[in-house]
Amino acid sequence: MDIKPRQLEIMEAAGQLMTESGYAALTTKRLAERMGFSEPALYRHFKSKEEILTTMLTHLAQSMDERLTAVSEQVSDPAERVEAMFESHFSFFIENPHYLMAIFATGVLDQTPALERGIVALMEVKRRHLIATIKDGQAKGVFKAAFPAELLTLIAMGTFRLHMLRWRMSGRSFDLKKKGRILMKVVVELIRAK
Amino acid sequence: MDIKPRQLEIMEAAGQLMTESGYAALTTKRLAERMGFSEPALYRHFKSKEEILTTMLTHLAQSMDERLTAVSEQVSDPAERVEAMFESHFSFFIENPHYLMAIFATGVLDQTPALERGIVALMEVKRRHLIATIKDGQAKGVFKAAFPAELLTLIAMGTFRLHMLRWRMSGRSFDLKKKGRILMKVVVELIRAK
DNA sequence: ACAAAGCACGTTAGTGTTCACTAACTTAAA
DNA sequence: TTTAAGTTAGTGAACACTAACGTGCTTTGT
């Protein structure tokens, strides 16, 4: 499925609205307003509001997969690779803040199974890359092998997510990337084999 | 502010609806239906829908504060205390599943500042208790002193939150407490001074 | 070469549904 | 007789979405 420029604009505007003021703020009226055209014009580009969001999520999952694959190819040391992956995340979300909704929207979207599935799929992409790296690190003796890689992965992802959430709840009052780099470095040091 | 029995019933029903099917599922119509009376009867007990939710959040924050204070008094060893705190959390949410909404609803409620504030306050309660315990542990040489207690706290809380989220997204398909106990034990071992 | 047909992308006006909440009345107990 | 806790009926506002129409560009048949 290829995405047309206008569709991309709409997705960006939709993400902006959600990121700024939450899921409930994303109404067809406001979205059309921000796009500078009338409400029904939206339906020339997407068949429903739900389709806008599912398209965003699959698009995001794909680009994240590519990004993390690139990081894996470029950074060979597992510890450095874990840090690079999160660094890449921070950069991405700072450059594409309209996609932040995918991280914060959990639990909002439960009434629409398609959206829930999209979010789960996105988390699975990140998990897959991270767990592979941590297992690699354990095999190479870089990370502690005494604990299951699944649990270490969960710790790293959970830390990342809460960091993002706190950044948002604070009204973006601190440097996400700078603090995040320090934080994820602590996580890496904690799981590093001494 | 004391809470009447009928108010408690309504809060419980509201929490159930949200926990089962998300925030959007909580409508005055459905809530009245579940309570077995008509919609306007709700307004004899709460002046608005928002008040139901803010009351729930402050009520929860208070009971959580008491619970964590009790744990702190009963368990003196910092490492054991951290584990006991999360153990207490798991037990509480299994016994009071209607309060799960407070953990999952983040980002849903942004349009209503009062709710956002309630959620932030709740997280602060948990954070305050946890950080005090971790600092205590660092002072006693139980936890690694090389990293700021703030960051270790964030790692522990983030891990807990993601564990809860995964439990929910899996359709409660695993034993929250059993897996959670193992997971939080790993976190404690990671931050333990060797 | 060029009109006709089709299509992409807008418009205005309006659909039915659902929402949180209110007005006014009833009833039983204190 | 006041009050707490219900009722029926209905409010306006917001929601996602549709019908029908306009208009200019591109493709196509001859």
Side-chain angles (χ1 to χ4, degrees):
Chain A
M1 192 226 287
D2 61 340
I3 295 163
K4 292 173 193 168
R6 206 75 215 241
Q7 285 183 307
L8 213 72
E9 282 180 59
I10 294 173
M11 284 159 56
E12 196 163 322
Q16 271 173 24
L17 283 170
M18 287 184 71
T19 299
E20 286 164 13
S21 321
Y23 176 66
L26 176 62
T27 66
T28 51
K29 187 182 175 187
R30 263 189 280 257
L31 182 53
E33 212 165 72
R34 179 153 305 198
M35 286 300 296
F37 53 49
S38 67
E39 231 179 311
L42 289 172
Y43 293 86
R44 299 289 171 198
H45 305 284
F46 291 98
K47 72 175 216 285
S48 69
K49 179 179 157 183
E50 180 181 323
E51 201 196 50
I52 298 174
L53 294 168
T54 53
T55 304
M56 285 184 78
L57 288 174
T58 56
H59 186 65
L60 176 58
Q62 193 192 319
S63 94
M64 185 160 295
D65 197 17
E66 287 165 11
R67 251 189 321 111
L68 293 181
T69 301
V71 169
S72 286
E73 283 167 3
Q74 281 160 25
V75 185
S76 60
D77 176 70
E80 281 176 32
R81 201 193 303 161
V82 169
E83 285 181 43
M85 279 178 172
F86 285 109
E87 180 85 13
S88 161
H89 269 44
F90 292 131
S91 301
F92 176 82
F93 284 114
I94 284 169
E95 274 168 46
N96 304 276
H98 52 284
Y99 274 128
L100 283 168
M101 64 89 172
I103 289 193
F104 301 131
T106 328
V108 188
L109 312 168
D110 345 59
Q111 73 264 27
T112 324
L115 295 182
E116 183 89 1
R117 262 183 278 118
I119 291 196
V120 170
L122 182 66
M123 288 182 65
E124 261 328 291
V125 168
K126 295 167 70 172
R127 209 175 100 88
R128 218 183 52 230
H129 282 275
L130 193 57
I131 203 169
T133 305
I134 288 183
K135 277 184 175 166
D136 183 32
Q138 286 182 324
K140 287 180 179 160
V142 176
F143 293 140
K144 291 192 172 86
F147 308 113
E150 283 76 16
L151 300 192
L152 300 184
T153 302
L154 200 146
I155 291 168
M157 283 185 65
T159 301
F160 169 80
R161 289 180 63 91
L162 182 55
H163 177 60
M164 298 291 290
L165 183 63
R166 286 186 64 85
W167 175 66
R168 186 209 195 205
M169 292 194 327
S170 77
R172 298 171 171 64
S173 68
F174 57 83
D175 187 327
L176 176 75
K177 201 170 179 171
K178 200 172 136 191
K179 251 194 175 175
R181 190 154 31 202
I182 294 167
L183 178 62
M184 299 319 294
K185 203 169 188 62
V186 169
V187 172
V188 167
E189 289 311 312
L190 287 178
I191 67 173
R192 194 191 286 276
K194 81 198 138 300
Chain B
M1 188 229 288
D2 61 340
I3 295 164
K4 294 172 193 166
R6 205 77 216 238
Q7 285 182 308
L8 213 72
E9 282 180 58
I10 293 172
M11 285 159 57
E12 195 164 322
Q16 271 174 23
L17 282 169
M18 288 183 71
T19 299
E20 286 165 14
S21 323
Y23 176 66
L26 177 61
T27 66
T28 51
K29 187 181 175 190
R30 262 188 282 255
L31 182 53
E33 211 165 73
R34 180 154 306 199
M35 287 299 297
F37 53 50
S38 69
E39 233 179 313
L42 289 172
Y43 293 86
R44 298 291 171 196
H45 305 283
F46 292 98
K47 72 176 216 285
S48 68
K49 178 180 157 182
E50 181 181 323
E51 202 195 50
I52 298 174
L53 294 169
T54 54
T55 304
M56 284 183 78
L57 288 174
T58 56
H59 185 65
L60 177 57
Q62 193 193 318
S63 94
M64 187 161 294
D65 198 18
E66 288 165 11
R67 248 188 325 112
L68 293 181
T69 300
V71 169
S72 286
E73 284 167 1
Q74 282 161 25
V75 185
S76 60
D77 176 69
E80 280 175 33
R81 202 193 304 159
V82 169
E83 286 181 43
M85 279 177 173
F86 286 109
E87 180 85 12
S88 160
H89 269 42
F90 292 131
S91 300
F92 177 81
F93 285 114
I94 285 170
E95 273 167 48
N96 305 276
H98 53 285
Y99 274 128
L100 283 167
M101 65 89 172
I103 289 193
F104 302 130
T106 329
V108 189
L109 312 168
D110 344 60
Q111 73 263 25
T112 323
L115 295 184
E116 184 90 1
R117 262 184 278 116
I119 291 198
V120 170
L122 182 66
M123 286 180 67
E124 261 330 290
V125 168
K126 294 166 71 172
R127 208 176 101 87
R128 217 182 55 231
H129 282 275
L130 193 56
I131 203 168
T133 305
I134 287 183
K135 277 183 174 165
D136 183 31
Q138 286 182 324
K140 288 181 178 160
V142 175
F143 293 140
K144 291 190 172 85
F147 309 112
E150 283 77 14
L151 300 192
L152 300 184
T153 302
L154 201 147
I155 290 168
M157 281 184 68
T159 300
F160 169 79
R161 289 180 62 90
L162 182 54
H163 177 61
M164 297 290 289
L165 183 63
R166 286 186 63 84
W167 175 65
R168 184 205 197 212
M169 292 194 327
S170 77
R172 299 172 169 66
S173 69
F174 57 83
D175 187 328
L176 176 75
K177 201 168 179 174
K178 199 172 138 193
K179 251 195 175 172
R181 190 155 30 202
I182 294 168
L183 178 63
M184 299 319 293
K185 201 170 191 65
V186 169
V187 171
V188 168
E189 289 310 313
L190 287 178
I191 68 174
R192 193 192 287 273
K194 83 201 139 292

